[in-house]
Amino acid sequence: MWQILTGYWSEFITGFGNTILCSLIAMFFSLILGVFFALLEVAPPKIGRAIAHIYIEIFCNIPLLVITMIFYLIIPQFWVKVSGFTAGTIGLALYTSAFIAETVRSGINSVGDGQMEGALSNGMTYVQAMRYVILPQAIRIVIPPLGNQMITLIKNSSVLAFVAGFDLMYQGDIVAFSSFQTIETYVIVGVFYLGLTLPLSYYMRHLEKRLA
Amino acid sequence: MRKFKKFLLLPIIFFLAFTLAACGNKKQNTYQKVKQDNTIVWGVRADTRLFGLMSIKTGRVEGFEIDLANAITKQMLGENGHAKLTKITANTRIPLLKNNNVDVLMATMTITPDRQKQVLFSKPYFKAGQGILVPDNSKIKTVQQLNNKTVLAVKGTTAVANVHKYAPKAKVLEYGDYGQAFSALKAGQGVAMTTDSGLLAGIASENPGYKLAGSNFTNEPYGIAVNKGQTQMVKHINKALDELKKNGTYNRLIRKWFKGVKGFNIKEVEE
Amino acid sequence: METFIHAYSWIDIRFLLQGLWVTIYVSVISIILSFILGLICGLVRYMKIKYLSAAVGFVVDIIRNLPLLLIIFFTYFGLPKLGLIANPTIASIVALVVFEGAMLSEIVRSGINSVPTGQMEGARSNGMTYVQAMIHVVLPQAIRNMVPAILSQFVSLIKDTSLATIIVLPELLYHAQIIYSQNTSYLIPMYLIIAVMYFIVCFCLSKYANHLQKKYL
């Protein structure tokens, strides 16, 4: 096992780097999109609610792999060429954003209508009330579930392997099938993934206890 | 409380014992096993036209290799011999053979020195070589022209190493199977797709707008693979293969599948 | 437009439905088994049995933090090493059960933790045994708390079966790939229809579950 690690060190590191990069980009965009659609869903206009609702239902109920494949294979036929890395990252961001929207929305809802009414009757506008009263309270509630979403996102980034995205899983496949040491290679890949997800997961548990 | 804990312990102990017991996996003689079960488990492809492709109508895999596998099974075990087909992909085939998921592999697999360290090959059963598939309007004619371009291939095949050898500056993207690789070519993810020309001819014949560029740039016969050390099995496969070539079954199967395929010279492969 | 009509011929649709059937039965078996596994592991972790709970917790944490794709590879290549013949169906079911079971055990554990300890103490002081108290008092309340999380886990299990295409499980996505690799102009119609199929299955499951939840809980 040690020989595989040293012999294919650069492959593993490239894959590890790409997995981190893809996860970070996808996290950033999925957070923005997720919060945006959550706000749209709790806002008064009916049309916004409908749009957010459709968006969330679509991306929650279609497998990530299918979404990614659509970006990788179909978009280039009509529009621009999308590399595997980009397609995977876009798919990951959209997919995760739907779950984040759900999480944030339930966080906002759990703050309670009374808070909003109180803020509005104190002369705040809707936006101000959201920004200064509701969201700060909601954030505290949604941080642990959001952390779990991030861990899921890192794990899900392995779909890049299907679209030649040069992530850890893809590189692992290549090492496995050129060294013929399948199980050993996947153990190494697993250790790399755990290096990312396990600390995050323990930190989240710690945070959850403290916030609760 | 204590009783309940014991109840919970049971499945876990069972699981551990099972894991340990399973670790004592003994090496067995494939030929003896095959004879005993009257069944050969073949690892075959389901994504390669002409060789082994899943039929949408019947859900069964059909192709040259499937017919040959059935013929060899009958030759080895008699008329009642049963060929069980397990679908595999290029990247999973060797691990599956080494793990005893399958007894024998007949999966468009080129005989290479690297692979010979891992598995035992029969005599060649098909004369293959690597080609390049490009869109009709492409200017690419030789493998050298692929330098500085993106080429699509399938994981776990010799195609990748060959591209690195003949066009060192080409960038290679690798996929799980030929369907995915060709879809990627169609989506413009690369300028060409490369693998054995027999497979490419199959794709080109069904997809107008794509052609084989130039001729084969390698000579890579396919072999049937068994696990390392199964010499008895390989001997019997070779014998069956020789008999099939002698009695004309082999050529009949070649003609059945490859006659009239665009860009494919049947004389090159007949015995 | 014409390609769509050709792509959705009965033969192709039937082939896709066969794939959908595999997706559904692999999912159903995995849902049942992973629920049992998750319940057992969650209980073991909750009960804080010496060594055992910690060991189970450790294994669960490891599995929870690995990509499912990796676990599928482990079962597919690993089970035969243990002397079991792993065909893709068994390998994917085992992988899904192990992975989703670990995810569920975490949900179960926090679900039981959310039931006030007074409930257990009250039931015990009323003469119930530990097992009776667990089954009749604590678990029903805990399950009520964790139902939404468990259901969304089941929906993701169905979606996750698509990852098993990598080991040639003949499920919906794989069958779609077979069709469009034989005629690539069907690429778009195929992805469209399987997206719709997955959507219908997952959407119906989550809506039906919501309905049940409102009716009975």
Side-chain angles (χ1 to χ4, degrees):
Chain A
M1 198 183 293
W2 195 244
Q3 287 151 333
I4 301 176
L5 189 59
T6 47
Y8 294 92
W9 180 248
S10 65
E11 274 86 352
F12 282 121
I13 287 301
T14 317
F16 194 55
N18 277 329
T19 291
I20 294 177
L21 186 65
C22 154
S23 303
L24 286 179
I25 298 173
M27 269 178 202
F28 179 73
F29 285 106
S30 63
L31 270 177
I32 291 180
L33 279 171
V35 172
F36 172 75
F37 279 106
L39 289 177
L40 206 58
E41 214 186 359
V42 295
K46 274 221 172 83
I47 179 101
R49 263 175 209 214
I51 292 172
H53 201 66
I54 292 170
Y55 177 89
I56 291 171
E57 290 293 355
I58 285 180
F59 285 106
C60 273
N61 288 312
I62 295 176
L64 171 60
L65 183 53
V66 174
I67 298 172
T68 308
M69 282 299 195
I70 288 173
F71 275 96
Y72 190 58
L73 296 177
I74 296 182
I75 302 295
Q77 291 193 10
F78 294 108
W79 197 29
V80 286
K81 200 188 127 184
V82 190
S83 77
F85 184 83
T86 319
T89 312
I90 294 175
L92 200 54
L94 291 178
Y95 180 78
T96 316
S97 73
F99 289 91
I100 289 179
E102 275 292 86
T103 314
V104 173
R105 182 190 58 86
S106 68
I108 293 174
N109 282 346
S110 68
V111 173
D113 292 341
Q115 299 270 349
M116 178 54 104
E117 279 157 24
L120 288 180
S121 65
N122 275 333
M124 281 187 175
T125 64
Y126 179 82
V127 178
Q128 282 173 333
M130 211 35 146
R131 165 77 181 76
Y132 295 105
V133 180
I134 308 289
L135 278 185
Q137 297 180 64
I139 282 174
R140 177 167 299 203
I141 299 166
V142 299
I143 276 187
L146 275 188
N148 287 331
Q149 290 297 343
M150 293 306 144
I151 296 166
T152 311
L153 185 147
I154 296 174
K155 291 189 290 174
N156 281 343
S157 71
S158 57
V159 289
L160 262 71
F162 283 91
V163 292
F166 291 95
D167 73 318
L168 190 49
M169 197 71 207
Y170 177 83
Q171 299 285 35
D173 278 355
I174 289 182
V175 173
F177 305 129
S178 47
S179 69
F180 299 110
Q181 311 257 314
T182 326
I183 300 276
E184 291 83 347
T185 311
Y186 286 128
V187 170
I188 295 173
V189 171
V191 171
F192 272 108
Y193 272 111
L194 287 180
L196 283 177
T197 52
L198 214 48
L200 197 56
S201 156
Y202 281 124
Y203 180 67
M204 280 305 149
R205 197 172 287 166
H206 166 77
L207 211 62
E208 209 168 331
K209 264 188 204 138
R210 230 186 51 193
L211 290 175
Chain B
M1 171 84 181
R2 185 164 291 162
K3 232 186 195 166
F4 193 45
K5 276 183 182 171
K6 261 189 194 155
F7 164 74
L8 285 173
L9 258 170
L10 261 173
I12 290 154
I13 291 173
F14 175 75
F15 176 76
L16 279 177
F18 166 78
T19 315
L20 288 175
C23 281
N25 182 20
K26 59 186 187 301
K27 262 216 152 54
Q28 52 185 350
N29 185 324
T30 308
Y31 185 68
Q32 301 294 347
K33 194 196 119 206
V34 161
K35 265 283 192 214
Q36 206 174 8
D37 303 348
N38 210 24
T39 304
I40 303 181
V41 183
W42 293 84
V44 295
R45 316 208 45 160
D47 62 340
T48 44
R49 192 174 294 284
L50 304 175
F51 288 88
L53 185 72
M54 199 185 211
S55 157
I56 294 166
K57 280 204 188 80
T58 61
R60 274 206 292 273
V61 193
E62 294 164 356
F64 170 72
E65 289 186 335
I66 313 303
D67 286 355
L68 191 58
N70 279 317
I72 291 176
T73 310
K74 295 266 185 295
Q75 193 73 33
M76 277 173 73
L77 302 175
E79 275 309 303
N80 297 324
H82 183 62
K84 198 171 162 234
L85 305 175
T86 299
K87 296 184 278 289
I88 50 103
T89 59
N91 52 6
T92 57
R93 58 193 170 187
I94 288 183
L96 289 182
L97 181 66
K98 292 188 77 69
N99 287 341
N100 297 324
N101 280 39
V102 296
D103 297 328
V104 191
L105 274 182
M106 175 138 68
T108 63
M109 193 148 103
T110 305
I111 303 171
T112 67
D114 253 5
R115 286 181 184 152
Q116 275 169 331
K117 283 180 206 148
Q118 305 292 327
V119 299
L120 199 58
F121 278 106
S122 72
K123 289 183 190 167
Y125 67 92
F126 189 83
K127 293 172 191 156
Q130 193 172 341
I132 304 165
L133 185 74
V134 293
D136 271 341
N137 58 9
S138 171
K139 289 195 187 72
I140 290 165
K141 288 226 165 48
T142 64
V143 63
Q144 284 78 15
Q145 286 173 306
L146 294 175
N147 273 319
N148 300 320
K149 302 225 166 65
T150 305
V151 194
L152 313 173
V154 170
K155 271 180 202 163
T157 63
T158 53
V160 184
N162 285 334
V163 171
H164 286 317
K165 195 163 133 203
Y166 291 94
K169 285 194 199 121
K171 188 182 173 213
V172 185
L173 297 182
E174 300 174 46
Y175 298 87
D177 65 34
Y178 293 110
Q180 286 175 23
F182 184 66
S183 307
L185 177 67
K186 237 192 150 188
Q189 301 288 355
V191 297
M193 168 180 172
T194 178
T195 184
D196 301 324
S197 54
L199 312 182
L200 295 177
I203 295 173
S205 70
E206 291 292 322
N207 293 283
Y210 291 86
K211 61 170 187 191
L212 279 158
S215 53
N216 295 355
F217 60 92
T218 61
N219 178 19
E220 304 178 298
Y222 294 157
I224 301 169
V226 298
N227 223 332
K228 199 96 189 153
Q230 304 293 350
T231 40
Q232 204 181 357
M233 186 71 186
V234 119
K235 225 179 275 168
H236 281 88
I237 290 176
N238 280 335
K239 212 174 104 201
L241 199 56
D242 284 342
E243 278 158 8
L244 290 175
K245 281 180 180 169
K246 222 181 283 167
N247 69 19
T249 313
Y250 180 85
N251 277 352
R252 188 169 57 78
L253 292 180
I254 288 273
R255 256 172 270 137
K256 175 182 169 191
W257 287 102
F258 297 100
K259 205 174 169 189
V261 173
K262 188 178 77 180
F264 195 86
N265 187 355
I266 203 162
K267 287 276 170 295
E268 271 183 17
V269 293
E270 265 187 340
E271 297 269 338
Chain C
M1 200 55 225
E2 215 167 281
T3 38
F4 275 80
I5 295 164
H6 286 296
Y8 297 151
S9 69
W10 169 238
I11 292 171
D12 289 349
I13 295 290
R14 192 183 57 187
F15 192 65
L16 286 177
L17 288 176
Q18 285 164 358
L20 185 63
W21 166 242
V22 173
T23 297
I24 289 176
Y25 89 65
V26 166
S27 305
V28 169
I29 296 176
S30 309
I31 282 178
I32 296 169
L33 294 179
S34 65
F35 183 67
I36 297 171
L37 183 71
L39 205 56
I40 292 176
C41 290
L43 279 174
V44 168
R45 292 182 70 189
Y46 168 75
M47 284 166 31
K48 305 227 161 57
I49 305 166
K50 224 180 193 178
Y51 306 123
L52 183 64
S53 296
V56 171
F58 178 72
V59 174
V60 164
D61 275 343
I62 297 283
I63 292 172
R64 253 164 34 88
N65 285 298
L66 285 175
L68 176 60
L69 201 51
L70 201 61
I71 295 171
I72 291 177
F73 274 126
F74 276 131
T75 56
Y76 192 45
F77 295 123
L79 285 180
K81 279 231 162 107
L82 303 179
L84 295 164
I85 293 299
N87 63 36
T89 316
I90 294 175
S92 7
I93 290 177
V94 173
L96 285 167
V97 168
V98 168
F99 181 76
E100 307 290 345
M103 302 297 275
L104 286 173
S105 90
E106 184 69 12
I107 297 172
V108 170
R109 190 185 62 102
S110 59
I112 302 178
N113 274 336
S114 71
V115 177
T117 44
Q119 296 281 340
M120 175 57 104
E121 283 156 18
R124 293 298 300 276
S125 66
N126 276 333
M128 282 189 180
T129 63
Y130 186 84
V131 180
Q132 281 173 333
M134 197 54 150
I135 292 174
H136 296 295
V137 179
V138 179
L139 271 186
Q141 296 181 51
I143 286 179
R144 195 167 304 174
N145 291 342
M146 58 206 185
V147 158
I150 288 181
L151 289 175
S152 69
Q153 200 60 44
F154 287 163
V155 173
S156 41
L157 188 148
I158 296 176
K159 289 184 289 175
D160 287 343
T161 53
S162 63
L163 293 176
T165 42
I166 204 150
I167 57 167
V168 202
L169 177 72
E171 46 73 69
L172 186 54
L173 180 60
Y174 181 75
H175 273 204
Q177 287 178 343
I178 289 280
I179 292 177
Y180 76 70
S181 70
Q182 296 182 20
N183 186 332
T184 42
S185 59
Y186 291 175
L187 181 73
I188 299 166
M190 282 307 131
Y191 271 105
L192 193 70
I193 194 167
I194 63 168
V196 170
M197 281 179 171
Y198 275 118
F199 182 82
I200 291 173
V201 172
C202 296
F203 188 75
C204 288
L205 176 69
S206 53
K207 286 297 148 207
Y208 183 63
N210 273 347
H211 166 75
L212 280 186
Q213 197 185 340
K214 275 194 193 119
K215 202 164 162 192
Y216 293 109
L217 296 178

